[in-house]
Amino acid sequence: MSAPVPLVTHEPVRTLGREFNLLWLGQSISNVGDRINVFVVPTVMILLLHASAFQVGLVGMAQYLAIPLLSLVAGVLVDRWDLRRTLIWCDGIRVAAIAAIPVAYGLDVLSVPLVLAVVALANAASVFFNIGYTATISAIVPDGERVRAYAHLEGSRSVAEVVGPAVASGLYRLLGVASLLVDAASFLFSAAMVRTMRPYTVRPARPQPMWARLVAGVRLNWHDPVLRGTILGTTLLNMGGPIFVTVLPILAYRGLHLSVPTLGTVMSVAAVAAVAGSLLAQRVSNRIGAARLMPWSVFLHCLVGLGILAAPALPGALVLAVTLSFYGLFMVWYNVSTAAVRQARVRPADQAVSHAAFRTITWGVIPFAALLGGVLVELLTPHVGLLDAARITMVGGTLIGVLFAWIPLAPTQARLERERETAGAA
């Protein structure tokens, strides 16, 4: 008699739960809307409103100004509010704000100041949403599953970066400014998904006065040497990255004379690498460790930005596609590894206020960096021409990260590895 054939069993695929899946679905759709916004608003500014480089930088600043102004207070308030309702209200405000741009255009009253005000309002709502969103992940996802959860979320964001620009350029050709209504609808869908989730919340065991919570959030980040390292590294990165991103559409449209469909295709092709990065993030993190991944990913992210120097010697669309591909891939790795390291060191009740302090400090420099990018192009153009002014400005921004951003992250990596070795020995 032949030996019995062993029964082959398969380990069931683990899921992150119904609540996470609803949140993930809502964010996946609204991420596509975000890419439409990011593509269409600068296009409208440059091609329809004929905004100057300074005005483009000013709107870029408005996209981030609420972060240093509101994040700390938002962290304290989100601590006290119902997280689910907070996310729904923030999505509702963003629906109204984004829809105002096509409505104003239809009424022939659209202007740069109006775009500035709308962008600022939408960003203010995003500050509250993002802090509540981070606290929500901590509330509904177990500790050991958060790297996987963030890999899922980064994957969705990266997919949105692939399809978003192509969708945005196609919608813009068909609908013009009205394409922003699709962005508004994506926030409406996100609100509906959060509304479908079961109620949840995480509150501090002992409610503290607002000022005490503000101070606690800063102290949590500064007293822990690992959290402090991530703050310093991310802040330095954010001094240069927004300059690069703000000037990019100016370089593409006015310096390299790319069309709207060409730029949309370039950005979609480039984002394929970001999708690959999100799919590989957990595997790379498991192989080399999240601690080691942080400094190397931020260094490489900035280094590849120098690729823009190859244009116009090489075709501009090709140069931007290759450069942005690796630029996005390494940024995904940095986001995933940093989020996992930070959340592992902060208890759930302090996630909102800790993340608020982190965003206030690290993102606080972004609006001024974005404005600086526009100002530098404006100042350099009369002397070297717009193409070289854009390239010089973007290279200056990316060199900040190459030379400085990795410096505080290297000792952070070493400390995390020592802690892991100590824990293993114990």
Side-chain angles (χ1 to χ4, degrees):
M1 179 182 291
S2 59
V5 178
L7 179 65
V8 178
T9 60
H10 297 278
E11 182 180 351
V13 177
R14 293 176 300 159
T15 67
L16 291 167
R18 173 183 178 274
E19 312 314 311
F20 174 81
N21 289 336
L22 288 169
L23 184 69
W24 183 24
L25 177 59
Q27 285 305 288
S28 297
I29 299 300
S30 66
N31 281 339
V32 177
D34 283 338
R35 303 318 301 173
I36 295 172
N37 184 298
V38 167
F39 186 91
V40 171
V41 169
T43 300
V44 169
M45 290 279 295
I46 294 170
L47 300 184
L48 292 186
L49 298 179
H50 306 291
S52 66
F54 171 74
Q55 290 174 322
V56 173
L58 199 62
V59 171
M61 181 180 73
Q63 289 179 318
Y64 301 101
L65 189 59
I67 295 172
L69 296 180
L70 296 178
S71 287
L72 281 175
V73 173
V76 174
L77 293 176
V78 169
D79 258 350
R80 300 177 177 183
W81 294 344
D82 182 274
L83 289 175
R84 180 165 158 269
R85 291 180 180 176
T86 298
L87 299 186
I88 294 170
W89 273 100
C90 290
D91 274 334
I93 292 170
R94 292 190 289 187
V95 169
I98 297 302
I101 294 179
V103 170
Y105 183 77
L107 297 174
D108 199 25
V109 294
L110 185 63
S111 63
V112 172
L114 180 58
V115 173
L116 187 72
V118 166
V119 166
L121 176 61
N123 179 241
S126 294
V127 168
F128 284 86
F129 183 93
N130 289 331
I131 290 171
Y133 171 77
T134 301
T136 294
I137 296 297
S138 178
I140 65 178
V141 178
D143 290 354
E145 298 293 335
R146 286 180 191 154
V147 169
R148 191 158 65 98
Y150 276 106
H152 283 24
L153 294 167
E154 284 292 329
S156 296
R157 186 183 66 82
S158 299
V159 169
E161 290 183 352
V162 172
V163 302
V167 169
S169 61
L171 287 173
Y172 185 80
R173 293 182 69 187
L174 291 173
L175 304 174
V177 183
S179 56
L180 287 173
L181 292 174
V182 179
D183 179 26
S186 73
F187 288 122
L188 192 61
F189 181 83
S190 172
M193 291 299 97
V194 176
R195 178 69 179 81
T196 307
M197 296 172 65
R198 286 188 289 267
Y200 63 91
T201 191
V202 175
R203 299 185 185 280
R206 293 182 179 180
Q208 296 176 301
M210 179 176 289
W211 179 249
R213 292 296 288 167
L214 294 178
V215 173
V218 175
R219 284 179 175 171
L220 278 170
N221 284 277
W222 195 252
H223 288 176
D224 185 312
V226 170
L227 299 183
R228 183 169 65 243
T230 62
I231 279 186
L232 294 175
T234 307
T235 300
L236 289 165
L237 175 65
N238 287 345
M239 288 181 179
I243 295 175
F244 188 96
V245 173
T246 299
V247 178
L248 175 63
I250 300 174
L251 173 73
Y253 288 133
R254 292 181 178 167
L256 301 175
H257 306 292
L258 300 185
S259 66
V260 171
T262 299
L263 181 59
T265 301
V266 163
M267 294 178 69
S268 289
V269 170
V272 171
V275 174
S278 68
L279 296 175
L280 293 172
Q282 188 171 9
R283 183 176 300 179
V284 175
S285 178
N286 290 340
R287 180 175 293 271
I288 70 173
R292 189 171 298 170
L293 185 59
M294 281 194 303
W296 278 107
S297 58
V298 74
F299 175 78
L300 293 171
H301 163 74
C302 296
L303 184 65
V304 299
L306 300 178
I308 60 159
L309 292 173
L314 297 176
L318 175 64
V319 169
L320 289 184
V322 173
T323 299
L324 294 177
S325 291
F326 290 100
Y327 198 76
L329 182 149
F330 293 124
M331 191 70 242
V332 168
W333 287 4
Y334 181 71
N335 288 340
V336 170
S337 59
T338 305
V341 167
R342 287 186 54 80
Q343 286 218 330
R345 303 182 76 87
V346 179
R347 66 192 183 99
D350 290 325
Q351 288 287 342
V353 72
S354 172
H355 186 63
F358 175 76
R359 285 176 62 85
T360 298
I361 297 169
T362 61
W363 287 51
V365 298
I366 291 180
F368 307 104
L371 178 62
L372 179 60
V375 169
L376 288 175
V377 173
E378 192 89 5
L379 293 176
L380 290 171
T381 297
H383 304 287
V384 298
L386 189 142
L387 175 61
D388 285 337
R391 292 199 306 166
I392 291 170
T393 301
M394 293 173 75
V395 167
T398 198
L399 281 176
I400 294 174
V402 172
L403 298 176
F404 301 115
W406 62 273
I407 292 176
L409 293 173
T412 300
Q413 168 199 331
R415 184 178 186 93
L416 283 167
E417 290 179 341
R418 285 197 303 269
E419 289 181 358
R420 186 175 59 183
E421 292 172 358
T422 302

